Amino acid sequence: MSKSKKVSTNFIPKVWRLLAPFKKDFYRILAITALFETIRLGGPYLFGKILDLLVRTKGILSLETALWVVGGLAGVRFLSILIDYITDYVIIKLLINIETHMSTRAFAKLLELSLDYHEKVHTGTKINIVNRGVDKLSQLVESYVFEFQPVVIQLTVTSILMILTSWTIGIIFTFSIFPFIFITFKIYQSTSLLRKRRHDAYEDSSDEIGDAITNITVVKAFAQETRENRSFGSIWGLIESISFTEVRRHLFTGFGRSILMEGFYAGMLVLGLFEIKAGRLTVGSLVFLITLTERAYSHIYRLGRIYERVMDAKEPVDRFTSLFSKSSSIKQAENPIKVEIEGQIAFRHVTFAYSKRRVLRNVTLTIPAGSFVALVGRSGSGKSTIAKLLSRYYDPTLGQIVLDGKYDLRNLDLDTYRAQTSVVFQDSPVPNRRIWEVISYSAGKKTFASVEKRVLHAAALAHAHEFILELDRGYQTLIGERGVKLSGGQRQRLAIARALFAEPKVLIMDEPTSHLDTMSEALIQKALEEMSREHSMTKIIIAHRLSTVQHADQIFVMERGRVVERGTHKKLLENGGVYADIVHQSELKP
Ligand SMILES: Nc1ncnc2c1ncn2[C@@H]1O[C@H](COP(=O)(O)OP(=O)(O)OP(=O)(O)O)[C@@H](O)[C@H]1O
Ligand SMILES: [Mg+2]
């Protein structure tokens, strides 16, 4: 209970901070709305005055007076329409601006956040947070500017006008507003827990869709459609039953609230009749008051709906705003150093844990610039983690990574550094673009003609040119989401071509050729050697294949997060340690 209160008191300032760039627009809209709502009340006021005039003159008006009356009413209505038009324009423009701004900011934020966030949060959830967040936020703003603000202004002006016209009826009216707001507030408070559970269930439902669809091949392969359907159905069953409970409570209390309001309304009418009888109120004024009351009550109902919207938007908007309060764990240094690196890399007492469990322990190693080193070790020993630290997806928990003997990796400018390194990941993700765009990804947005030569060169080095030419549209072929239209080996060769295209100073490859036949692998090896001769390049290759690692200048053998052996293939074999074991058990395939 206290927790939900705390959230609700934080909620408005949090949203307001998010909308800070649009403050001026909000003030402008407030001013226009205040003017509009006041002018609009001129209609019933004039109407009341006309009635009184008719009563006084027993229905006979001079032509001049009649013209004044009609002119006045027409004037008020024309002004209303004009201001209405202006208000709509300003508000709709604001809403469109907010949607654009929030969507682009959220996307930029997602790109900015480091891998620890992305590896922790499910893709479906992230998409849901952004889509529902933007959607609900703009609904919230819409309700605020189109409904909340006009209603509050109208209620205030109405109360003042009513008290000025008849203080007794005015006061009853003013006091009748409070129980309404109180009951409405209570209903929503009592259902807040249900609402939260419903939103959790929405998120579970997106997770399920995301998970089942991204792993559709697994679902089909093991014929688990029924099981997935059932699990998805049970989530929606829960959403359904929670929604019904919520609706029942709302309708029931809403019923009581309506009866109460009718009571107040009748009371005011009776009091008005007495006041007329006592000569304290004219018929025109009573009509004016009753018109105002009816209008005001119908607006208070709108206030109830707005509250409902706010509460409905609260969860998704909360989740959306908290996305912006997250910060990337990889921070750019205050005065980042932009240099061309030589390519010497040193790990100095590097210890690393993804969360609590240490996966690298006190790793110290030096890789000379331009050399070729291999990392070997059993599955889970920490090889890919070394590659991730080198790409600065994560920073060491303890110790440091030093470039060229003088720069702590954390002090280098991230973009400049990453532009000089290339990584081929173990699972080589390739985005859904044309082949040439995948290969030239590091060049930014370019035309094919401007990068064609380099793309062809990189594809040839990666031994990918032949298979690309065999595709329907060659380099222009769209390769489908996550590269599903390619074979595993083709995807790897494409990833290698993309890495080589960037002509990096440091090339990190995490089992880049595991899907390739030995022949293609040997050709790629040769191409890499040639490339290193053209320009100096430090190569760090993680591999399970003897053919890949045996020519390395230095091999590091990892076990349980430690480097346990180092040396050349020959020397390590002679030593007869872990490496020799691995080779003999042919975990390193020949
Ligand atoms: N994102 C992550 N969050 C938490 N733990 C992780 C994460 N990635 C890897 N690990 C853990 O860190 C350890 C080292 O993983 P790593 O991927 O570096 O192993 P590896 O040597 O590359 O293995 P393989 O040869 O199977 O690719 C493993 O125990 C793994 O469970
Ligand atoms: Mg790995």
Side-chain angles (χ1 to χ4, degrees):
M1 179 70 220
S2 65
K3 200 174 163 202
S4 85
K5 252 191 182 156
K6 203 171 151 205
V7 174
S8 56
T9 46
N10 278 337
F11 183 64
I12 306 288
K14 227 166 36 179
V15 173
W16 188 233
R17 267 200 302 280
L18 203 61
L19 295 170
F22 300 98
K23 263 184 189 157
K24 269 200 188 133
D25 296 290
F26 279 105
Y27 293 143
R28 202 177 305 145
I29 291 171
L30 175 68
I32 301 177
T33 314
L35 184 69
F36 181 52
E37 293 304 332
T38 314
I39 288 179
R40 260 202 342 189
L41 290 176
Y45 178 75
L46 278 180
F47 196 74
K49 286 285 165 220
I50 296 165
L51 264 185
D52 280 345
L53 203 64
L54 285 173
V55 169
R56 243 196 348 263
T57 57
K58 304 227 170 3
I60 303 156
L61 289 184
S62 70
L63 184 65
E64 195 188 344
T65 322
L67 280 179
W68 268 110
V69 166
V70 175
L73 274 180
V76 168
R77 293 196 88 90
F78 175 73
L79 258 184
S80 298
I81 295 171
L82 184 69
I83 301 181
D84 205 13
Y85 169 79
I86 298 174
T87 324
D88 280 358
Y89 177 76
V90 179
I91 291 181
I92 291 168
K93 184 167 162 281
L94 172 70
L95 288 174
I96 296 172
N97 287 344
I98 288 180
E99 274 196 349
T100 312
H101 175 83
M102 289 303 157
S103 304
T104 48
R105 249 187 84 189
F107 182 66
K109 187 73 198 181
L110 282 177
L111 290 189
E112 176 205 317
L113 286 176
S114 39
L115 276 169
D116 49 348
Y117 172 78
H118 288 288
E119 288 181 345
K120 211 163 46 205
V121 184
H122 206 286
T123 308
T125 310
K126 281 179 270 197
I127 295 175
N128 199 28
I129 290 178
V130 174
N131 284 352
R132 279 181 75 82
V134 172
D135 215 38
K136 291 288 172 183
L137 188 70
S138 44
Q139 270 179 29
L140 200 64
V141 174
E142 193 177 331
S143 294
Y144 174 77
V145 286
F146 270 129
E147 306 199 276
F148 181 78
Q149 202 164 265
V151 171
V152 169
I153 291 173
Q154 212 176 50
L155 285 180
T156 315
V157 179
T158 303
S159 290
I160 295 173
L161 277 182
M162 287 183 73
I163 290 174
L164 287 179
T165 315
S166 158
W167 69 269
T168 41
I169 297 182
I171 285 191
I172 295 183
F173 169 78
T174 310
F175 277 100
S176 70
I177 300 175
F178 296 105
F180 184 94
I181 295 178
F182 179 75
I183 296 172
T184 311
F185 184 68
K186 277 289 160 204
I187 303 176
Y188 287 99
Q189 231 179 18
S190 76
T191 48
S192 79
L193 203 67
L194 289 172
R195 228 173 0 257
K196 190 175 170 330
R197 278 177 47 204
R198 182 160 49 88
H199 282 286
D200 284 342
Y202 284 141
E203 223 160 69
D204 288 346
S205 128
S206 328
D207 279 0
E208 282 268 330
I209 299 184
D211 206 39
I213 302 305
T214 40
N215 295 303
I216 188 73
T217 46
V218 182
V219 176
K220 286 191 182 292
F222 294 95
Q224 290 301 313
E225 285 94 336
T226 319
R227 169 242 200 96
E228 295 295 340
N229 273 331
R230 214 172 276 149
S231 129
F232 190 67
S234 80
I235 295 177
W236 275 91
L238 180 68
I239 294 178
E240 202 176 22
S241 87
I242 296 176
S243 304
F244 281 143
T245 317
E246 271 180 81
V247 167
R248 266 197 307 276
R249 273 195 212 172
H250 280 240
L251 289 183
F252 181 72
T253 331
F255 178 73
R257 187 178 56 187
S258 300
I259 301 270
L260 186 72
M261 297 320 278
E262 288 306 317
F264 273 113
Y265 181 72
M268 271 183 266
L269 197 59
V270 171
L271 186 65
L273 292 176
F274 272 112
E275 295 280 289
I276 290 179
K277 208 170 169 199
R280 283 193 291 268
L281 198 67
T282 63
V283 174
S285 299
L286 181 64
V287 171
F288 173 54
L289 291 181
I290 292 302
T291 316
L292 286 198
T293 309
E294 276 186 1
R295 268 197 188 187
Y297 278 175
S298 71
H299 291 314
I300 306 187
Y301 280 106
R302 267 167 68 196
L303 211 55
R305 276 208 304 277
I306 298 162
Y307 189 73
E308 191 177 312
R309 290 252 180 89
V310 173
M311 288 298 128
D312 201 45
K314 209 173 130 314
E315 279 294 324
V317 172
D318 253 343
R319 282 165 213 228
F320 185 68
T321 47
S322 66
L323 175 70
F324 291 100
S325 60
K326 288 190 177 31
S327 59
S328 171
S329 58
I330 299 299
K331 297 227 164 25
Q332 178 80 282
E334 275 195 12
N335 296 307
I337 306 169
K338 292 187 182 184
V339 280
E340 279 221 4
I341 52 169
E342 297 287 328
Q344 192 224 60
I345 296 161
F347 275 57
R348 295 190 184 156
H349 305 288
V350 171
T351 291
F352 178 75
Y354 284 104
S355 48
K356 285 215 176 83
R357 195 165 56 90
R358 291 179 174 193
V359 297
L360 290 184
R361 297 151 196 261
N362 201 10
V363 172
T364 295
L365 49 85
T366 305
I367 302 167
S371 71
F372 165 24
V373 306
L375 285 179
V376 301
R378 297 205 168 91
S379 180
S381 56
K383 306 179 298 291
S384 296
T385 306
I386 294 225
K388 286 185 197 167
L389 291 188
L390 260 179
S391 317
R392 225 190 145 205
Y393 293 143
Y394 295 92
D395 281 333
T397 314
L398 293 172
Q400 55 174 176
I401 299 171
V402 180
L403 270 291
D404 295 349
K406 48 192 165 185
Y407 309 114
D408 186 314
L409 183 51
R410 276 173 287 222
N411 297 331
L412 289 185
D413 179 70
L414 253 180
D415 290 351
T416 324
Y417 171 70
R418 285 189 180 148
Q420 299 175 71
T421 56
S422 277
V423 208
V424 180
F425 301 97
Q426 203 162 3
D427 50 0
S428 348
V430 280
N432 180 21
R433 299 181 195 213
R434 290 175 204 294
I435 295 238
W436 71 268
E437 286 174 305
V438 172
I439 297 178
S440 62
Y441 190 70
S442 60
K445 200 143 180 62
K446 287 274 155 56
T447 59
F448 182 45
S450 67
V451 287
E452 185 174 359
K453 243 174 100 181
R454 284 174 62 200
V455 167
L456 293 187
H457 182 57
L461 286 175
H463 202 54
H465 185 67
E466 291 81 11
F467 94 77
I468 295 174
L469 288 186
E470 279 168 20
L471 296 172
D472 293 346
R473 305 198 52 218
Y475 281 86
Q476 298 293 344
T477 313
L478 253 179
I479 56 177
E481 212 177 326
R482 287 171 296 115
V484 286
K485 292 187 200 158
L486 297 177
S487 78
Q490 290 170 338
R491 209 153 52 227
Q492 279 192 332
R493 279 180 275 176
L494 218 51
I496 294 172
R498 172 175 57 192
L500 297 182
F501 175 90
E503 296 183 354
K505 288 302 258 186
V506 177
L507 176 66
I508 306 153
M509 297 174 125
D510 193 349
E511 293 183 43
T513 51
S514 56
H515 291 294
L516 296 183
D517 52 282
T518 22
M519 177 79 173
S520 315
E521 203 220 340
L523 285 169
I524 291 177
Q525 282 291 340
K526 225 187 200 150
L528 281 182
E529 272 162 35
E530 263 167 44
M531 198 173 169
S532 309
R533 271 198 291 278
E534 277 170 32
H535 87 282
S536 154
M537 178 167 75
T538 311
K539 284 177 294 176
I540 300 156
I541 298 189
I542 299 168
H544 282 296
R545 276 217 186 125
L546 199 53
S547 53
T548 315
V549 303
Q550 63 188 353
H551 302 298
D553 301 323
Q554 211 180 169
I555 299 169
F556 294 99
V557 184
M558 303 212 41
E559 205 170 62
R560 293 167 167 269
R562 290 179 205 277
V563 175
V564 288
E565 283 172 26
R566 57 190 81 198
T568 58
H569 173 68
K570 197 160 158 266
K571 190 181 140 221
L572 287 176
L573 268 189
E574 281 166 14
N575 281 3
V578 180
Y579 182 79
D581 265 2
I582 297 178
V583 171
H584 289 139
Q585 288 165 11
S586 70
E587 267 180 57
L588 283 175
K589 302 176 203 115

